[in-house]
Amino acid sequence: AEAAAADLGVTLDYQGSNNDAAKQAQTIDAGVAAGCSAIAASAPDPEAIKTAMLAAHAAGLPTVTMNSGSAVFAELGAFTHVGQDEIIAGEQAGLKFNAMGVKHVLCPIQEAANVGLEQRCQGLKNTFKGTVTNFNLDGGLADLTASTAKIQAALQADPSIDAVFALNADIAAKAVLPAEQALGLTLKVGTVDMSPEALDAIAAGTMEFAIDQQQYAQGYMSVVLLHLALSNGNEMGGGQPIYSGPGFVTKDNVDKVKALVAAGTR
């Protein structure tokens, strides 16, 4: 988003909410009150920001959702969504696990209120031919040591689990892999999104894949779309989401992706 703003000569005000949906709604309201021209917002908890987003729409501001919200962007008054469809991402992961020949995939959900995470697990169930077990890991990112212990306990409780679909790269690299190693297991591990540790694990062969929803493109395109709406009256997307993924990082392309990460665009 910052790169697009610089390229287009527009002012960008980026505000994080640290997974606090109430704070996000307040930030949207504050932006409208301060006279911003357009809004791009993620929607991991759509109901929490619905009133604020619809108020922005009613005020005549073009809005898009990004990253989270592909199924609900229209209900929030946005003209399109930039991101990956979480169901499709999960379905593609299911096909990957099928090709590996595994039978039982654990799907840990680290944010109970995040509908996108539930959709990833649901997508996995849609295509995976074996068993999928959803696992409540709420708050997992806040205490990775506790998350490691919880995952380790889940793996011990059910020895039939031979794969894990982590929904976050830090959960995969800093909780799933340590739990696997502590138990002396050899699991097939995939994740959503990337981190330096996850990419290193893919290169080393201890992680099979990372789903890349290409967040740089999500931020960049959101600014481009809003700029076109303001400057040229364009509403791109045809009332449908604009997909930025899923793409897959595997051992075959991880070196190229790592080079792009170092350049700051992946």
Side-chain angles (χ1 to χ4, degrees), residues 45-235:
D45 188 351
E47 286 301 316
I49 65 168
K50 187 172 184 177
T51 299
M53 288 292 286
L54 290 177
H57 178 69
L61 275 64
T63 62
V64 300
T65 57
M66 57 178 291
N67 190 260
S68 297
S70 64
V72 297
F73 69 89
E75 299 171 24
L76 302 179
F79 64 83
T80 192
H81 171 83
V82 185
Q84 74 178 9
D85 182 274
E86 305 296 4
I87 294 286
I88 293 173
E91 289 174 344
Q92 291 298 310
L95 297 177
K96 288 281 188 185
F97 283 120
N98 285 340
M100 297 173 201
V102 298
K103 304 299 183 185
H104 188 171
V105 180
L106 186 71
C107 195
I109 300 174
Q110 75 271 5
E111 292 176 27
N114 191 327
V115 294
L117 302 184
E118 297 174 3
Q119 289 171 346
R120 291 171 185 173
C121 292
Q122 182 57 54
L124 178 68
K125 291 179 180 179
N126 290 350
T127 58
F128 182 58
K129 295 179 180 178
T131 301
V132 175
T133 298
N134 287 10
F135 181 66
N136 179 17
L137 197 65
D138 194 21
L141 284 170
D143 189 343
L144 289 168
T145 300
S147 292
T148 301
K150 290 177 183 178
I151 292 171
Q152 185 171 328
L155 296 174
Q156 284 179 309
D158 193 340
S160 72
I161 296 170
D162 54 0
V164 179
F165 182 39
L167 307 181
N168 172 274
D170 283 340
I171 294 294
K174 299 179 182 180
V176 175
L177 292 185
E180 173 191 21
Q181 292 161 4
L183 294 171
L185 299 175
T186 302
L187 304 173
K188 298 294 186 183
V189 179
T191 188
V192 180
D193 297 334
M194 301 184 296
S195 70
E197 295 84 0
L199 293 176
D200 287 343
I202 291 169
T206 55
M207 192 180 299
E208 302 301 315
F209 66 81
I211 291 179
D212 182 11
Q213 58 180 303
Q214 304 178 118
Q215 296 98 318
Y216 180 93
Q218 291 173 5
Y220 197 101
M221 288 305 300
S222 293
V223 173
V224 170
L225 292 167
L226 292 174
H227 179 260
L228 284 171
L230 290 167
S231 65
N232 205 47
N234 298 127
E235 288 195 353

